[in-house]
Amino acid sequence: MGQQEKVATSLAGTVSEEISASLTAVDAELARRYPGDPGTRQPVHTVYVPGDVFEPGTLRSWGDQALAALDEHAPDAASFAAVLGIPEELAGPVHDRVRAKLGREPVEDLRIDFEDGYGPRPDAEEDEAAARAARLVSEAYANGTAAPYMGIRMKCMEAGVRDRGIRTTDVFLTGLMAAGGLPEGLVLTLPKVTYPEQVTAFVQLLEAFEKAHGLDEGRIGFEIQIETSQSILAADGTAAVARMIDAARGRATGLHYGTFDYSACVGVSAAYQASDHPAADHAKAVMQVAAAGTGVRVSDGSTNVLPVGPTTQVHEAWRLHYGLTRRALARAYYQGWDMHPGHLPTRYAAVYAFYREGLEPAAARLAAYVAKAGGDVMDEPATAKALSGYLLRGIDCGALDTAEVARLTGLTRADLDAFASPRRGDLTVTAP
């Protein structure tokens, strides 16, 4: 034990108190605007199905069609891995988990579409379709066939379709309430948002609905779809998307990039409209920075190249989709859109390969951090948070098993949750 150091200070205790008092408003603002990740499961994709096409068996049909595509175009692990360039050591685990996922839970997030995928219809027809959607969603949650997340995309808040969008939202939500209440997995998507005031208007709509039904304020959240250049850069030069998050007053759950509407808005020709275009990268980077720390998740868009036709054509489309999905994951866009059942095999293959190839390195780094051991990487609390989030996302989607993560890290699910969302309370780790 060395010599005990004499501790001396120069400032009066009131200095610290005065500084804290001066930052009270800032502390409150930070807590309000940047609460951190909500700690809930984020789906790896969103599937859009037109309102007149959705049926009780739609989810199962998508899974069956995806399995049939595998049977026809890549019937075993080796052939599937060869098409996508998956390393040999991951071929079996990825293939087996993809098939199991398609049999168990083929769709993680379903949006019944009343916007572009549905188009303009007579009011009576859309009313009927919205009421039917509410009934089918309620029945799916009641009988256990629902996706973890389900909801609708209504028409936007622009003048020409505003009333129709408001009415469809009302019919759908009212139908859910009449059938037993709003499901926990309910998600609404507000498309083609250009001005923060449109978000404010949608909040007003939801507030009125909650009040009419005696629901807790803020019960209904929604995603904001980014499909116009004005939503990224406003006329005054500010990042409009950041103002949209604020305008949602805590109700925004996601920012979804609309690949083709946004690309067309900035003048990208049809042949080059894709989620890896520089214009798309810029928009998503702004979205990502605006959403960081707010608890709002960012989702990538879709590809319109469908895996249909002869095997060579399907393989080409699969490679494209797999590559775009892996690219998005590396850029921390953990969710995207899938437009066709044939996209499901490569969505899950890309996601599962991403998490399985990084499982052991991530687990080793986190275990070393917990044990305060050395190593060739010096990690900090923020990295431990990222490592835990990575493992949790892998568990949630089925890429990883809780048991194998626990074996490699020595941590429980509760420990991982605590690292990933330390704001929830003091971190207590059960591992030695």
Side-chain angles (χ1 to χ4, degrees), residues 8 20 42 151-152 161 194 225 236 242 304 380 395 414:
S20 293
Q42 180 181 10
I152 65 168
V161 294
T194 304
Q225 201 156 11
D236 62 0
N304 59 0
E380 297 184 353
I395 292 171

Side-chain angles (χ1 to χ4, degrees), residues 6 37 65 87 95 98 112 120 122 135-136 139 146 170 189 191 204 253 278 294 354 356 367 381-382 385 392:
K6 181 179 179 180
D37 189 86
Q65 290 179 68
H95 176 265
V98 168
I112 304 168
R135 176 177 59 82
L136 294 179
E139 290 175 355
D170 187 10
T189 303
Q204 181 181 353
T253 59
T294 66
F354 176 76
R356 293 212 65 80
K385 178 179 178 180
L392 286 168

Side-chain angles (χ1 to χ4, degrees), residues 341-408:
H343 285 142
L344 299 185
T346 39
R347 169 67 61 183
Y348 291 121
V351 170
Y352 288 3
F354 176 76
Y355 288 114
R356 293 212 65 80
E357 71 187 17
L359 168 59
E360 292 191 5
R365 286 178 66 178
L366 187 56
Y369 175 85
V370 172
K372 302 189 185 306
D376 58 356
V377 178
M378 183 178 292
D379 286 325
E380 297 184 353
T383 307
K385 178 179 178 180
L387 291 167
S388 296
Y390 173 88
L391 296 172
L392 286 168
R393 283 189 294 271
I395 292 171
D396 285 343
C397 71
L400 311 177
D401 297 327
T402 303
E404 66 179 336
V405 173
R407 174 176 56 82
L408 291 170

